[in-house]
């Protein structure tokens, strides 16, 4: 498989998307790149961040530039599954019901503070993420294609929250964090035009159909056997490390491979190199590894990078 001129043009448009978002959410190109990587791999993203760093603006910008239907769900303790899925209402004068779709029926859904709602509503949300469909009154309704969930949770405030169990966290392909901007980035942010006004002026760069065509290329990316072995060795090391209570599952390795393939496509390649794996693996591991001692998110990120460095990287190959 070789990227056609059409696909190369679509990838170039994605990089233009990344540059456009960088003018709105300043200094977060790497996060935008990884978010698009997850979407190309068909996965969902969990943002663990404090309020006010630009998560909502980032998601809205991506949705608008892709021309995607966008929906934001603010999760609260009193939210029930029908509030997000939808509900059946009686048809006037008839002995039947019609289904009114909820905000979950959008191509790009921002699930804001997902850990603030009840486990029942969380389960309904995460089931939809996994199955790409919902069931109401015995009938199944498919969700839009493509369908992506970008969820947020606050790592600081835990009062009144319902932490996601490990099995539900595993539904997210990547966990990302925007973090604070640097001193220079924040000055640039204050000096730039109003971000909301900038968002209103941007135009779609790539259609969802073109994005879907790129997404379909991801599974066809060629992978050398030694790179498959490298992913498995990294996973094995997390399972035998004395500092780790829960290592990476086989599904976690599968997600790592899918994300690495998407990263390769985003870099105009139809084959995998070690750099593709190294670019995504920390974000794949962040919400899946459980250490025996408590670590803050920053400490955990440092520990994961140290683990990765302890497994030798295969020699790079520029082509098949």
């Amino acid at each position: 498989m070789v990227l056609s001129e059409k696909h190369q043009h679509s990838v170039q448009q994605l990089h233009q998307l990344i540059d456009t978002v960088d003018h709105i959410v300043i200094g977060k190109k790497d996060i935008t790149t990884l978010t698009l990587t997850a979407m190309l791999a068909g996965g969902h993203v969990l943002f663990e961040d404090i309020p006010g760093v630009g998560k909502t603006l980032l998601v809205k910008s991506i949705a608008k530039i892709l021309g995607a239907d966008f929906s934001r769900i603010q999760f609260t303790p009193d939210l029930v599954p029908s509030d997000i899925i939808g509900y059946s209402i009686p048809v006037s004068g008839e002995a039947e019901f019609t289904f009114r779709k909820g905000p979950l029926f959008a191509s790009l859904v921002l699930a804001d503070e997902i850990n603030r709602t009840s486990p029942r509503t969380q389960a309904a949300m995460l089931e939809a993420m996994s199955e790409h469909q919902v069931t109401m009154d015995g009938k199944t309704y498919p969700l839009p294609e493509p369908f992506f969930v970008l969820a947020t949770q606050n790592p600081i405030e835990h009062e009144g929250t319902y932490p996601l169990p490990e099995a539900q966290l595993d539904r997210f392909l990547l966990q990302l964090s925007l973090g604070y901007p640097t001193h220079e980035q924040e000055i640039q942010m204050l000096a730039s035009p109003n971000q909301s006004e900038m968002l209103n002026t941007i135009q779609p760069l790539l259609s969802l159909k073109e994005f879907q065509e790129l997404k379909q290329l991801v599974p066809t990316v060629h992978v050398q056997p030694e790179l498959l072995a490298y992913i498995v060795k990294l996973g094995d090391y997390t399972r035998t490390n004395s500092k780790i209570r829960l290592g990476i599952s086989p599904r976690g390795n599968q997600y790592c491979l899918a994300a690495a393939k998407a990263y390769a496509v985003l870099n105009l390649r139809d084959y995998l190199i070690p750099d593709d794996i190294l670019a995504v693996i920390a974000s794949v591991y962040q919400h899946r590894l459980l250490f025996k001692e408590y670590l803050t998110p920053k400490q955990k990120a440092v520990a994961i990078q140290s683990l990765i460095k302890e497994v030798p990287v295969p020699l790079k190959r520029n082509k098949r």
Side-chain angles (χ1 to χ4, degrees):
M1 186 271 293
V2 178
L3 265 64
S4 65
E5 287 187 13
K6 180 182 177 182
H7 291 143
Q8 289 180 36
H9 180 262
S10 295
V11 171
Q12 290 165 358
Q13 292 295 92
L14 281 182
H15 283 283
Q16 190 177 341
L17 183 159
I18 294 168
D19 291 338
T20 302
V21 173
D22 189 53
H23 285 97
I24 300 172
V25 186
I26 295 169
K28 303 301 176 185
K29 264 191 178 184
D30 54 339
I31 300 299
T32 306
T33 300
L34 286 173
T35 302
L36 289 173
T37 297
M39 292 170 65
L40 277 176
H44 310 287
V45 178
L46 177 64
F47 291 96
E48 187 169 271
D49 256 316
I50 59 170
V53 293
K55 301 181 294 295
T56 302
L57 198 61
L58 174 69
V59 176
K60 280 185 175 180
S61 300
I62 291 174
K64 185 156 188 183
I65 299 174
L66 284 177
D69 292 333
F70 173 76
S71 178
R72 177 181 179 180
I73 305 172
Q74 182 65 52
F75 283 85
T76 56
D78 60 346
L79 207 68
V80 296
S82 61
D83 290 331
I84 63 172
I85 294 173
Y87 50 89
S88 296
I89 58 174
V91 178
S92 179
E94 298 182 25
E96 60 181 44
F97 289 77
T98 185
F99 180 63
R100 179 164 292 179
K101 295 178 179 179
L104 200 58
F105 285 82
S107 290
L108 195 55
V109 177
L110 173 60
D112 218 352
E113 296 189 285
I114 193 172
N115 58 331
R116 288 204 174 274
T117 197
S118 68
R120 184 184 174 196
T121 305
Q122 286 177 359
M125 177 75 184
L126 295 164
E127 182 182 0
M129 290 166 53
S130 178
E131 304 296 332
H132 283 215
Q133 63 184 29
V134 299
T135 302
M136 177 64 66
D137 298 328
K139 292 184 179 180
T140 299
Y141 301 91
L143 291 166
E145 186 60 40
F147 172 70
F148 305 109
V149 172
L150 306 180
T152 74
Q153 64 178 9
N154 188 333
I156 306 300
E157 296 179 3
H158 298 292
E159 185 177 350
T161 63
Y162 303 86
L164 297 176
E166 279 68 36
Q168 294 185 354
L169 282 173
D170 195 48
R171 306 287 178 91
F172 293 96
L173 178 59
L174 303 181
Q175 179 177 313
L176 303 174
S177 174
L178 275 73
Y180 289 116
T182 64
H183 180 75
E184 292 75 16
Q185 288 168 352
E186 196 156 9
I187 291 175
Q188 186 181 350
M189 188 185 302
L190 293 175
S192 65
N194 182 280
Q195 293 169 311
S196 297
E197 291 180 3
M198 291 177 66
L199 183 60
N200 292 332
T201 61
I202 60 178
Q203 299 295 322
L205 291 172
L206 190 73
S207 69
L208 277 182
K209 181 182 177 182
E210 292 171 307
F211 190 87
Q212 276 291 87
E213 289 174 355
L214 278 183
K215 185 169 170 280
Q216 290 167 2
L217 290 181
V218 172
T220 66
V221 169
H222 179 77
V223 186
Q224 293 285 354
E226 56 264 36
L227 292 182
L228 295 176
Y230 176 55
I231 292 174
V232 173
K233 284 179 183 177
L234 284 163
D236 282 341
Y237 187 67
T238 67
R239 300 167 194 167
T240 58
N241 191 288
S242 61
K243 297 179 181 179
I244 296 174
R245 179 160 57 91
L246 180 66
I248 295 300
S249 68
R251 183 163 58 182
N253 285 337
Q254 291 173 337
Y255 282 166
C256 179
L257 177 62
K261 285 182 174 182
Y263 195 84
V265 170
L266 202 53
N267 284 276
L268 291 169
R269 275 185 280 100
D270 63 347
Y271 58 91
L272 209 66
I273 63 174
D275 284 350
D276 299 322
I277 300 169
L278 293 172
V280 302
I281 196 164
S283 300
V284 173
Y285 281 11
Q286 184 70 24
H287 57 302
R288 290 185 171 88
L289 286 184
L290 290 182
F291 286 80
K292 290 183 177 178
E293 63 174 317
Y294 172 76
L295 299 176
T296 66
K298 284 186 178 180
Q299 290 171 332
K300 189 174 182 180
V302 171
I304 289 172
Q305 289 293 348
S306 298
L307 287 170
I308 293 169
K309 289 177 182 177
E310 292 176 22
V311 179
V313 180
L315 293 175
K316 295 183 180 180
R317 293 192 176 190
N318 292 327
K319 59 182 180 179
R320 298 190 233 174

